[in-house]
Amino acid sequence: MKHMRQKVLIYCRVSTRRQLHEGSGLTSQEKRCRIHAEQQGYEIEAVFPDDVTGSGNFMDRKGMVAMLEHIKCHPNTSYVVIFDDLKRLARDTKYYLILRETLDALKVRVECLNFTFEASPEGEFYETVIAAGGQLERKQNARQVQQKVSARFEAGYWGLAAPLGYKMQMDKKKPRILIRDEPIASYIQEALEGFACGRFQTQSEVARFLETCPEFPRTRNKGRQVHRDLVKKLLTKSVYAGMVELKCRGIGLREGHHEGLITMTTYQKIQNRLNGKTVAPTRKDLNQDFVLRGAVCCTDCNNPLTANWSSGRNKKYPYYLCRTKGCVSYGKSILREKMESQFETLLKQLTPAKSLMKTATKMFKSLWDNETKDKNRRKQDLQKHIKQLDREKEKIIDKLIKTDIESVIAAYEKRIQDIELDKVVIEEKLSNLGKESASFDKNFRTAKEFLSNPYRLWDRGQYLGKRAVLKLAFPQHLIYDRKTGFRTAAIARPFRLLEGLKKGDSEMAEREGFEPSIPFTVYSLSRGAPSATRPSLRSRCQLNNYTI
């Protein structure tokens, strides 16, 4: 009768999620087990699949844990567990024996399609040997994978899962290298370059920028937030600079075969900023509602003003205010519209005249031409520097061969690695010098637009654009007085230059050090003077050994 049939549980497992999606391992295992159950006249009660290895420990596998819990919840039912192969049950001898003891304690009988269990000493020995063979195969496979990964890194190829912003090139006709995964690669590139140049002052600002990118992945269970740990990984991974390294295997930094999202120079700037003085993280409520928050200081205590919304009878009102205890202006609010209107007036005052911008453009063009002429000289200096590093490396290698002290060897190896890193940076600069730069008009277009009318960019820009204008125009904190408004602000150097041109600031050079301090006679060289009174050509051009 049907209720008298033996009830069975089917267990099947594949090692990775990739096999789950790209292969048919679970399906084929389950089908074979079902055919066996039908042939034996068994009643299949449930199927428990797994798609992870569990590192040998069966308690790390959800499917196995669920099957054991199912058995414990039905203590009066006698089960038979069917599986395809001993390797599917466990590939670690220790945990295999523990699992077999657990199933025996639950009075569960096991049946394997590729192995026959025997209740004899010889059968138990052979079963243990098969389990040990599975463990040996697993460890050999792991060693082989590690060796291949190390070999790829040593050859300059990325050997692990593709980092965020990259994907593996799957074309069989080309080598497996990392390629850009757009649009995420562009988002990361802009974030890294922005942090290096100071556009983003803190890691929190980088996170806020990435949160505005629609296709950038978010942290689980964090809504639309980008976690700070992810930002730290992006800023510290050398793979984004076109380099590869695997510190856990002793493989140092070396140039990779993939295209970097940023240059090595930019990567070093990022590391220097991260290793420098720490900066307080940006507040989460620092948004476009109060764009001047943190950039304006109180005139009484010189501390940055904060901001908040105050609830009125019918609506809320935005205010800036000082929260420094002991300050004369503590708790005294300033209407947002008033302060920001005065700031816009201050920003409009930076707009230079058109004729002045023409003069400044000619000056910048002259500087551009001089920089172009100076490129060849810098190129020669960099080539000399590379030769010096090569000579220094050869000397260190000679010393390394002669010593057997481990601490000295480690120091020499560290210095060689630093030399190689310096060479990469210099070669990168050298290659950039060899490239033809864009025209002056193309490079200067954005800067000219900003200098000619910074208020226009402020008025059109969103929150990040306005913060950029604020930092570019005013390098220091602005000081605000509740009664008189903004005090004299320290403006950026380009605007100071334009202001100096407008005022016509010029001074005569000091006589001392510029002209000879000895007196000299000015001779009349008129045609009518007698030749006897005219000094000779040598005496006219030389006076007291000073050539004029």
Side-chain angles (χ1 to χ4, degrees):
M1 297 178 64
K2 186 176 180 181
H3 67 277
M4 297 296 294
R5 295 169 61 187
Q6 175 66 56
K7 293 187 177 182
V8 299
L9 305 176
I10 295 177
Y11 178 75
C12 46
R13 178 177 67 87
V14 292
S15 300
T16 62
R17 297 186 183 274
R18 181 179 178 183
Q19 294 176 348
L20 174 65
H21 296 291
E22 297 182 4
S24 57
L26 287 179
T27 305
S28 59
Q29 290 180 39
E30 182 180 346
K31 184 176 181 179
R32 292 190 63 203
C33 292
R34 285 185 177 275
I35 293 174
H36 175 77
E38 292 177 0
Q39 292 175 350
Q40 299 297 324
Y42 295 155
E43 178 185 351
I44 301 174
E45 184 170 305
V47 178
F48 297 92
D50 262 321
D51 57 8
V52 292
T53 61
S55 302
N57 187 354
F58 62 91
M59 293 306 294
D60 291 337
R61 297 189 236 131
K62 295 181 179 180
M64 178 62 72
V65 173
M67 185 181 71
L68 295 177
E69 290 294 330
H70 181 83
I71 296 172
K72 292 178 182 178
C73 292
H74 301 81
N76 298 325
T77 304
S78 177
Y79 286 110
V80 173
V81 174
I82 303 177
F83 51 93
D84 180 71
D85 192 273
L86 283 181
K87 297 177 183 179
R88 300 302 96 201
L89 200 62
R91 300 189 71 179
D92 186 282
T93 308
K94 172 186 174 182
Y95 289 110
Y96 175 81
L97 296 176
I98 294 175
L99 178 58
R100 290 285 282 116
E101 292 177 358
T102 302
L103 293 174
D104 290 341
L106 294 174
K107 298 180 180 181
V108 174
R109 183 161 56 89
V110 292
E111 292 185 8
C112 179
L113 304 185
N114 296 334
F115 182 80
T116 302
F117 294 96
E118 296 182 4
S120 64
E122 294 78 9
E124 292 180 0
F125 172 76
Y126 186 56
E127 180 182 349
T128 305
V129 170
I130 297 297
Q135 175 177 298
L136 174 63
E137 183 181 354
R138 176 175 64 86
K139 292 188 175 182
Q140 286 177 335
N141 291 339
R143 181 180 62 186
Q144 187 177 14
V145 171
Q146 292 176 359
Q147 291 173 346
K148 290 182 178 180
V149 169
S150 299
R152 281 186 60 84
F153 273 96
E154 289 177 352
Y157 293 95
W158 185 261
L160 301 176
L164 189 63
Y166 282 107
K167 61 183 178 180
M168 277 294 178
Q169 184 173 249
M170 303 306 296
D171 191 348
K172 295 182 179 180
K173 298 181 181 180
K174 299 179 181 180
R176 284 175 54 83
I177 62 173
L178 295 175
I179 58 176
R180 296 172 66 102
D181 184 15
E182 297 294 353
I184 299 177
S186 297
Y187 297 153
I188 296 176
Q189 179 178 356
E190 186 175 355
L192 297 179
E193 291 177 346
F195 186 81
C197 69
R199 172 188 170 190
F200 306 121
Q201 291 293 327
T202 64
Q203 297 181 40
S204 294
E205 290 189 10
V206 176
R208 300 295 171 267
F209 164 74
L210 294 176
E211 287 172 1
T212 62
C213 302
E215 298 182 31
F216 192 84
R218 268 49 172 182
T219 307
R220 293 180 179 178
N221 302 326
K222 292 292 183 179
R224 291 187 55 81
Q225 294 184 10
V226 175
H227 202 273
R228 284 282 301 277
D229 292 340
L230 175 59
V231 175
K232 185 64 177 293
K233 291 180 181 179
L234 295 178
L235 295 174
T236 55
K237 276 186 174 294
S238 59
V239 65
Y240 296 115
M243 310 294 289
V244 295
E245 64 177 333
L246 195 62
K247 295 181 180 179
C248 61
R249 308 276 176 82
I251 301 175
L253 195 65
R254 62 198 62 202
E255 189 173 1
H257 293 279
H258 63 281
E259 176 190 359
L261 303 184
I262 57 175
T263 63
M264 194 61 190
T265 305
T266 303
Y267 174 76
Q268 282 194 324
K269 289 181 180 179
I270 294 174
Q271 306 315 305
N272 293 336
R273 289 200 61 193
L274 291 175
N275 297 328
K277 184 178 179 181
T278 58
V279 182
T282 305
R283 295 173 57 107
K284 293 182 179 180
D285 55 354
L286 183 59
N287 51 35
Q288 58 185 356
D289 290 340
F290 301 100
V291 69
L292 296 180
R293 184 175 186 172
V296 181
C297 292
C298 174
T299 187
D300 295 320
C301 62
N302 204 32
N303 288 320
L305 297 175
T306 184
N308 64 268
W309 289 86
S310 297
S311 299
R313 179 174 299 179
N314 298 321
K315 62 178 183 179
K316 293 184 177 181
Y317 299 90
Y319 290 98
Y320 290 97
L321 69 162
C322 179
R323 286 293 186 183
T324 304
K325 293 184 178 180
C327 178
V328 178
S329 299
Y330 174 75
K332 296 180 179 180
S333 57
I334 306 164
L335 195 62
R336 183 187 65 179
E337 285 74 10
K338 177 183 177 182
M339 179 184 290
E340 294 187 357
S341 175
Q342 293 176 350
F343 174 78
E344 291 177 357
T345 302
L346 181 65
L347 200 59
K348 291 177 181 178
Q349 294 175 359
L350 298 180
T351 303
K354 293 183 179 180
S355 58
L356 196 59
M357 278 303 302
K358 291 182 180 180
T359 303
T361 302
K362 293 179 180 179
M363 294 175 59
F364 289 129
K365 181 63 168 62
S366 177
L367 292 174
W368 177 274
D369 294 338
N370 292 335
E371 181 67 21
T372 303
K373 295 177 182 178
D374 195 48
K375 182 181 291 187
N376 291 332
R377 181 188 60 79
R378 284 185 288 166
K379 188 175 182 180
Q380 294 176 357
D381 293 340
L382 291 175
Q383 290 173 345
K384 291 180 181 179
H385 196 180
I386 291 178
K387 293 180 179 179
Q388 291 176 358
L389 291 176
D390 288 334
R391 289 194 293 268
E392 182 181 355
K393 180 180 176 181
E394 292 177 358
K395 293 179 181 179
I396 294 176
I397 292 176
D398 293 337
K399 295 179 181 180
L400 183 61
I401 296 175
K402 297 177 182 179
T403 185
D404 56 355
I405 303 175
E406 294 184 359
S407 59
V408 177
I409 293 175
Y412 283 153
E413 291 177 345
K414 178 65 169 57
R415 180 54 189 156
I416 292 175
Q417 184 176 351
D418 293 340
I419 290 174
E420 291 295 334
L421 184 59
D422 291 341
K423 282 185 62 178
V424 171
V425 176
I426 295 174
E427 289 173 353
E428 185 178 88
K429 293 180 179 178
L430 197 59
S431 63
N432 291 334
L433 287 176
K435 297 178 181 178
E436 293 186 1
S437 58
S439 63
F440 170 78
D441 294 333
K442 184 176 181 180
N443 281 310
F444 189 62
R445 182 174 57 231
T446 304
K448 182 179 179 181
E449 181 181 354
F450 169 69
L451 292 174
S452 61
N453 194 345
Y455 174 74
R456 183 188 304 167
L457 184 59
W458 169 275
D459 188 46
R460 294 178 180 178
Q462 299 297 324
Y463 169 71
L464 293 177
K466 290 184 176 182
R467 294 291 295 185
V469 171
L470 192 59
K471 294 173 184 177
L472 290 173
F474 304 100
Q476 300 179 10
H477 283 89
L478 298 169
I479 307 299
Y480 187 83
D481 185 275
R482 292 185 300 107
K483 297 179 180 178
T484 61
F486 286 98
R487 299 177 62 180
T488 303
I491 60 178
R493 183 170 296 179
F495 292 103
R496 293 206 307 268
L497 175 62
L498 293 173
E499 186 177 0
L501 292 175
K502 180 180 179 181
K503 295 179 180 179
D505 293 344
S506 60
E507 295 180 0
M508 292 294 294
E510 294 291 338
R511 181 175 182 275
E512 188 71 26
F514 184 74
E515 293 289 347
S517 57
I518 58 174
F520 60 92
T521 304
V522 178
Y523 293 93
S524 174
L525 301 179
S526 61
R527 181 177 299 179
S531 59
T533 60
R534 293 200 302 266
S536 64
L537 180 63
R538 177 183 294 274
S539 62
R540 292 203 309 268
C541 299
Q542 189 173 7
L543 179 64
N544 294 339
N545 296 325
Y546 181 82
T547 303
I548 304 177

